[in-house]
Amino acid sequence: MYQPQKYRLYPFPNQERELLRQFEELRFLWNHALEQRIEAWRKEKRSLSHVDQCRDLARWRAYDKEGIGRVYGHVAQDSLARLHDAFGHFFRRVREGVRPGFPRYKREITSLTYPDSNGSAAIVPGRNGTRRLRLSMLGELPIEVHREPPAGRVKTCTVEREGDRWFAILTYEMEDPPSPPSTPPSAPIGVDLGLSHLATLSTGETVEPPKFLRRAEERLRRAQRVVSRRTKGSHRREKARERLARCHAKVRDQRRDFAHKVTSTWAARHDLIAFEDLSVPSMLGDAHLSRSISDAGWGMLRQMAAYKETRRSGRYVEVPASGTTQTCSGCGRLHDPPLTLQDRTYVCPCGLHMDRDLNAARNILARALAKIPGGTGESTPVETGPPPHRKGRRVRSKKREPPRDSEVAR
Ligand SMILES: [Zn+2]
């Protein structure tokens, strides 16, 4: 399994300049490779493969030594791999009939990744007990190691810029924890993520975002409005944009801290956690509710719960989302007529009278228990932890690249 760990970086001014320069090279590479794919298709009805593009890249790096040649080879290849993934997702969504979202040109790149750091990324001792992050082609960057790195081998390293701060996210390859025992879980929960409460547990507890976070989010919305009011290209707008970026960073940090707190508690108390599988957008119907905000929080909770549970040899299960709200958790009947968003209570002829989210959480738990060996139903393999860390697009999806706010292990 993989354990991510995030550290603050303090690059020297010349290192910072070099990083920004490499971001530019990678942005150019991405846009160029995207254009190549589009052209190949338009002119010759031919799909370029990842291998084709990597071969081109190697040639290009060889003669553009002062440009893309400055970027470590695997880092540049990783960028192409992401583009390849983006096309993969695009075609998959086309096949599934979901709104596809064609890969886009990038106006900015804020991170780069050493995808398989066989020594190309390592934390090394610096002067006077300090530490440095040694990166091939970039040198040794001052790093703040606020907690001892895990014992595993460094698998990937991502360097990213958030506003004016720099971070390194290292994923460590750890020995797999023992797999969950074959006995049924002793304290399982189902979690319904929603809008009226952040989360409702099948135990009846609810989780609300803390006040400080809601206040920070409100400040963020205000900062957003200020930016859009000001004249494009003006000095004042630039100022407002900087403020907005700081608000974003603040909200992101607070959300992450909060999600860590919540998921640590869950993982400590429960040996099975079940969520709805939201990779297929089941919420399209009520999608226009202020989704973007809660979305980010939900993704984080699921990701963190997954790896924390796995680390403790517990179970993390995702169940199909369809009908969890509409089904009675007592007798299995469907609500007729279907519950609307305004109905806060589920009332069933069988006598069940329950908060709608609690009812959904109970259904999620029941479906999860039916899925695991030793549960109540047939045995199917249980899904475990998140994939190794790959950071990139901002799209919040649970595919190859987990949302970046959720990467930090505690
Ligand atoms: Zn019922």
Side-chain angles (χ1 to χ4, degrees), residues 68 71 76 80 82 126 128 137 147 155 180 186 194 222 225 254 264 292 300 350 357 363 365 370 374 396 409:
I68 190 72
V71 181
L80 294 179
R82 279 173 208 289
N128 302 328
M137 312 287 278
R147 123 191 12 235
K155 167 75 178 155
S186 56
R222 269 201 304 273
R225 283 196 294 271
Q254 291 189 338
S264 291
S292 57
M300 239 187 300
C350 76
D357 297 333
N363 282 326
L365 175 58
R396 310 256 163 209

Coordinates of all heavy atoms in Angstrom, one line a residue, residues 68 71 76 80 82 126 128 137 147 155 180 186 194 222 225 254 264 292 300 350 357 363 365 370 374 396 409:
I68 N 12.9 21.8 -22.7 CA 12.3 20.6 -22.0 C 13.4 19.7 -21.5 O 13.2 18.9 -20.6 CB 11.3 19.9 -23.0 CG1 10.5 18.8 -22.3 CG2 12.1 19.3 -24.2 CD1 9.5 19.4 -21.4
V71 N 14.1 19.5 -17.9 CA 13.1 18.7 -17.0 C 13.5 17.3 -17.0 O 13.9 16.7 -18.0 CB 11.7 18.9 -17.5 CG1 10.7 18.1 -16.6 CG2 11.3 20.3 -17.7
A76 N 8.8 14.6 -17.3 CA 8.1 15.0 -18.6 C 7.2 13.8 -19.1 O 6.1 14.1 -19.6 CB 9.2 15.3 -19.6
L80 N 3.0 13.3 -20.1 CA 2.3 12.7 -21.2 C 1.4 11.6 -20.7 O 0.4 11.3 -21.3 CB 3.4 12.1 -22.1 CG 4.3 13.1 -22.9 CD1 5.3 12.5 -23.7 CD2 3.4 14.1 -23.7
R82 N -0.3 11.5 -18.1 CA -1.6 12.2 -17.6 C -2.5 12.5 -18.8 O -3.7 12.3 -18.8 CB -1.3 13.5 -16.9 CG -0.9 13.2 -15.5 CD -0.4 14.5 -14.9 NE 0.5 14.2 -13.8 CZ 0.2 13.6 -12.7 NH1 -1.1 13.4 -12.5 NH2 1.1 13.3 -11.8
G126 N 20.7 17.9 5.7 CA 21.3 19.2 5.3 C 22.2 19.6 6.4 O 22.6 18.8 7.2
N128 N 23.4 21.5 9.9 CA 22.9 21.7 11.2 C 21.5 21.0 11.5 O 20.6 21.6 12.0 CB 22.6 23.2 11.5 CG 23.9 24.0 11.3 OD1 25.0 23.5 11.6 ND2 23.8 25.2 10.8
M137 N 17.9 16.9 -11.4 CA 17.8 18.1 -12.3 C 17.4 19.3 -11.5 O 17.2 20.4 -12.1 CB 16.8 17.9 -13.4 CG 17.0 16.6 -14.2 SD 18.5 16.6 -15.3 CE 17.9 17.4 -16.7
R147 N 7.4 15.7 10.6 CA 7.2 14.4 11.2 C 8.1 13.4 10.5 O 8.3 13.5 9.3 CB 5.7 14.1 11.2 CG 5.3 12.8 10.5 CD 3.8 12.8 10.3 NE 3.0 14.0 10.5 CZ 2.0 14.2 11.3 NH1 1.6 13.1 12.0 NH2 1.4 15.3 11.3
K155 N 8.0 6.3 -3.5 CA 7.6 5.8 -4.8 C 7.4 7.0 -5.7 O 7.9 7.0 -6.8 CB 6.2 5.1 -4.6 CG 5.5 4.8 -5.8 CD 6.1 3.7 -6.6 CE 5.2 3.4 -7.8 NZ 6.0 2.7 -8.9
P180 N -8.2 -7.7 6.2 CA -9.2 -7.8 7.2 C -9.5 -9.2 7.7 O -9.4 -10.1 6.8 CB -10.4 -7.2 6.5 CG -9.9 -6.4 5.4 CD -8.6 -7.0 5.0
S186 N -17.1 -5.9 13.7 CA -17.9 -5.8 15.0 C -18.5 -4.4 15.1 O -19.5 -4.2 15.8 CB -16.9 -6.0 16.2 OG -15.8 -5.1 16.0
G194 N -24.1 14.3 2.5 CA -25.2 15.1 2.0 C -25.0 16.6 2.1 O -23.9 17.0 2.5
R222 N -17.1 35.7 -0.9 CA -17.1 37.2 -1.1 C -15.9 37.6 -1.9 O -16.0 38.4 -2.8 CB -17.0 37.8 0.3 CG -18.4 38.2 0.9 CD -18.3 39.3 1.9 NE -17.3 38.9 3.0 CZ -17.7 38.2 4.1 NH1 -18.9 37.8 4.3 NH2 -16.8 38.0 5.0
R225 N -16.6 37.2 -5.5 CA -17.4 38.2 -6.1 C -16.6 39.5 -6.3 O -16.8 40.2 -7.3 CB -18.6 38.5 -5.1 CG -19.7 37.5 -5.2 CD -21.0 38.0 -4.6 NE -20.9 38.2 -3.1 CZ -21.1 37.3 -2.2 NH1 -21.4 36.0 -2.6 NH2 -21.0 37.6 -0.9
Q254 N -8.1 24.2 5.9 CA -9.0 23.9 7.0 C -9.9 22.7 6.7 O -10.1 21.9 7.6 CB -9.9 25.1 7.3 CG -9.1 26.3 7.8 CD -10.0 27.4 8.3 OE1 -11.1 27.6 7.8 NE2 -9.5 28.3 9.1
S264 N -10.1 10.1 11.1 CA -9.3 9.4 12.1 C -10.2 8.8 13.2 O -10.1 7.7 13.6 CB -8.3 10.3 12.8 OG -7.3 10.7 11.8
S292 N -20.1 22.1 -5.9 CA -18.6 22.2 -5.9 C -18.0 22.2 -4.5 O -17.0 21.5 -4.3 CB -18.2 23.4 -6.7 OG -18.7 24.5 -6.1
M300 N -12.6 14.1 -0.2 CA -11.5 14.0 0.8 C -11.9 13.0 1.9 O -11.1 12.2 2.3 CB -11.3 15.4 1.5 CG -10.0 15.9 1.3 SD -9.8 17.4 2.3 CE -10.9 18.5 1.6
C350 N -44.7 0.1 6.7 CA -44.2 -0.9 7.7 C -44.1 -0.3 9.1 O -43.8 -1.1 10.0 CB -43.0 -1.6 7.2 SG -41.5 -0.6 7.5
D357 N -31.8 10.9 5.8 CA -30.4 10.7 5.6 C -30.0 9.4 6.4 O -29.1 8.6 6.0 CB -29.5 11.9 6.0 CG -29.8 13.1 5.1 OD1 -30.2 12.8 3.9 OD2 -29.6 14.2 5.5
N363 N -29.2 2.0 4.7 CA -29.2 1.2 3.5 C -27.8 0.9 3.0 O -27.5 -0.1 2.5 CB -30.0 1.9 2.4 CG -31.5 1.7 2.6 OD1 -32.0 0.7 3.1 ND2 -32.3 2.8 2.3
L365 N -25.1 0.8 4.7 CA -24.5 -0.2 5.6 C -25.0 -1.6 5.2 O -24.2 -2.5 5.1 CB -24.8 0.1 7.1 CG -24.3 -0.9 8.1 CD1 -22.8 -1.1 7.9 CD2 -24.6 -0.5 9.5
A370 N -23.8 -6.9 2.9 CA -24.2 -8.0 2.0 C -23.0 -8.3 1.0 O -23.0 -9.4 0.4 CB -25.4 -7.6 1.2
G374 N -18.6 -13.2 5.0 CA -18.9 -13.3 6.5 C -20.0 -12.2 6.8 O -20.4 -12.1 7.9
R396 N -12.2 16.5 -9.9 CA -12.3 15.6 -8.7 C -12.8 14.3 -9.2 O -14.0 14.1 -9.4 CB -13.3 16.2 -7.7 CG -13.0 17.6 -7.4 CD -12.3 17.7 -6.1 NE -11.7 19.0 -6.0 CZ -10.6 19.2 -5.2 NH1 -10.1 18.2 -4.6 NH2 -10.1 20.4 -5.2
A409 N -1.3 12.2 4.6 CA -1.5 11.2 5.7 C -1.2 11.8 7.0 O -0.4 12.7 7.2 CB -0.5 10.0 5.5

